[in-house]
Amino acid sequence: MSDTIVKTTDLSVAFKVKKDLVPAVRQVSLSLEKGRTLVILGESGSGKSTYMKALLRILPHDAAIDGAAEFMGEDLLLKNEKEMRELRGDRISMIYQDSLSALDPMYKVGDQVIETIRAHRKSVSRAEAREQAEQLFVKVGIPSPRERMRTYPHELSGGMRQRAVIAMSLCCSPYLLLADEPTTALDVTIQKQILNLFLELQEKDGMSIMMVTHDIGVAAQVADEIAIMYGGIIMEYGSTREVLEEPANPYTRALIAALPKSGDRGRLVAIDGQPPTIVSMPSGCPFSDRCAYATQICKSSIPHLTPVTQTHQTACHLYERKEE
Ligand code: SF4
């Protein structure tokens, strides 16, 4: 069996705005192998969360999805809603930024994990599910798990709540964990602990992780591969080392230049201008209004991913010309 867990080919998503279909994700081709972590890095509005939601098929009904999306060789876009429900929370799990909204404030966290286990594994008794929930709490590093299971979400700190959400997401031993800004709401120390927890769990269970974030530091800490997204397209894609240390795309270089260096006292070199929205997208390269290297072709034609090395691609007309 192939080790490819997720593969999308030219996956596009468009939303209806008034009478028009407006593209939010454009021809995204990415893949994720077993036991690896792919981070999709981009500013807000870049299309990264929409791409992930398209995989889970949890977009609004009027969203038009085109292209191909496979999970372990199965075509996700051909599945009906019942088949997708069976996948979600079972072989595929998802973690969101806001752990409070992922948990029901009216129920104790332990009961929520127990019910999630029983919803997916009908033959498991409540006592067995309680046992499994307690083991999951231990696995995600929640101290005094028995007592914590009896608490309500608001009684836990943000870090402990996110651990409880991760425990819930692991209850069916997923092959794929989708994480949407899972540490954004946490302070830096807790963020580091949660990211390390992802890596430990991945090493133990061999699951694959796809994470979206706007934070380069988060990507650098966990990613095997990084895809840089902007204006609905992938601008750069490759191994973490190549993308962060040898960026080929002007947008990636500008993002990295905007990071504070030691001695800068936190000053950012902001990228001039604002990212486009889906209704103000330039017709060519989405970065063309802000790019110092833009030429005429950048204004009229969308660049496509071109190999830089065997494990690194960039979408930029500067590179397409070098290839000719
Ligand atoms: Fe800049 Fe043109 Fe490359 Fe886009 S295609 S990143 S506008 S040089």
Side-chain angles (χ1 to χ4, degrees):
M1 201 182 108
S2 152
D3 274 350
T4 303
I5 299 294
V6 179
K7 183 169 186 230
T8 65
T9 311
D10 293 337
L11 190 74
S12 299
V13 179
F15 292 111
K16 207 151 190 205
V17 178
K18 292 184 184 153
K19 283 185 183 153
D20 298 321
L21 267 181
V22 181
V25 170
R26 301 187 279 176
Q27 295 189 308
V28 170
S29 299
L30 295 174
S31 66
L32 171 61
E33 302 297 302
K34 185 174 186 295
R36 314 250 326 152
T37 299
L38 168 66
V39 170
I40 304 174
L41 182 65
E43 294 171 79
S44 80
S46 60
K48 57 193 191 304
S49 295
T50 302
Y51 170 78
M52 200 178 253
K53 286 177 183 161
L55 291 179
L56 271 184
R57 303 254 313 275
I58 54 171
L59 288 169
H61 288 300
D62 62 354
I65 307 180
D66 198 18
E70 284 181 13
F71 167 67
M72 300 177 81
E74 298 171 28
D75 190 334
L76 288 173
L77 303 188
L78 286 182
K79 289 191 181 294
N80 60 33
E81 183 47 32
K82 180 172 175 284
E83 291 166 330
M84 284 307 299
R85 264 204 308 274
E86 284 165 6
L87 264 187
R88 294 185 207 119
D90 195 297
R91 284 191 289 155
I92 304 178
S93 257
M94 180 131 187
I95 295 174
Y96 298 92
Q97 178 184 142
D98 179 6
S99 55
L100 258 188
S101 66
L103 294 165
D104 190 325
M106 308 294 284
Y107 293 93
K108 292 173 183 163
V109 285
D111 287 340
Q112 297 188 50
V113 180
I114 291 167
E115 287 315 315
T116 308
I117 294 170
R118 298 196 69 208
H120 289 276
R121 301 283 184 265
K122 306 273 186 243
S123 59
V124 173
S125 70
R126 195 167 167 83
E128 287 167 336
R130 178 174 297 283
E131 182 81 7
Q132 287 178 18
E134 197 176 323
Q135 283 166 11
L136 284 168
F137 272 41
V138 172
K139 192 172 187 175
V140 299
I142 297 180
S144 312
R146 211 165 276 184
E147 287 92 87
R148 294 288 162 89
M149 281 172 66
R150 287 196 288 266
T151 58
Y152 288 92
H154 71 272
E155 295 175 302
L156 293 175
S157 67
M160 279 302 143
R161 245 188 343 252
Q162 195 61 309
R163 283 177 194 262
V165 170
I166 295 171
M168 198 145 79
S169 75
L170 296 176
C171 67
C172 294
S173 309
Y175 289 85
L176 172 64
L177 186 67
L178 300 175
D180 190 353
E181 304 271 9
T183 57
T184 301
L186 304 173
D187 72 44
V188 180
T189 317
I190 307 295
Q191 174 174 306
K192 210 169 163 63
Q193 289 172 8
I194 296 288
L195 293 174
N196 283 337
L197 173 63
F198 279 123
L199 295 177
E200 282 165 29
L201 293 169
Q202 185 174 50
E203 207 171 297
K204 275 190 213 145
D205 301 341
M207 75 186 166
S208 306
I209 300 175
M210 186 186 287
M211 187 183 290
V212 301
T213 181
H214 67 280
D215 187 327
I216 298 186
V218 167
Q221 198 178 330
V222 296
D224 294 302
E225 280 90 32
I226 293 179
I228 306 280
M229 200 162 184
Y230 185 85
I233 73 168
I234 300 298
M235 300 291 277
E236 185 143 24
Y237 177 32
S239 71
T240 299
R241 190 195 65 73
E242 286 173 292
V243 171
L244 296 187
E245 291 178 20
E246 294 162 13
N249 193 286
Y251 175 61
T252 315
R253 290 206 291 264
L255 270 186
I256 292 170
L259 286 173
K261 313 272 180 306
S262 55
D264 279 358
R265 298 179 190 209
R267 274 199 305 272
L268 288 174
V269 188
I271 307 174
D272 281 342
Q274 292 294 321
T277 65
I278 60 170
V279 290
S280 67
M281 198 64 70
S283 50
C285 173
F287 192 50
S288 56
D289 288 347
R290 305 170 82 190
C291 180
Y293 303 92
T295 58
Q296 204 49 44
I297 188 173
C298 304
K299 305 275 179 197
S300 57
S301 162
I302 298 173
H304 297 287
L305 284 173
T306 309
V308 179
T309 69
Q310 275 191 340
T311 49
H312 184 193
Q313 302 169 57
T314 190
C316 177
H317 290 302
L318 297 176
Y319 267 80
E320 285 180 13
R321 282 211 299 272
K322 276 186 197 163
E323 287 293 297
E324 282 164 6

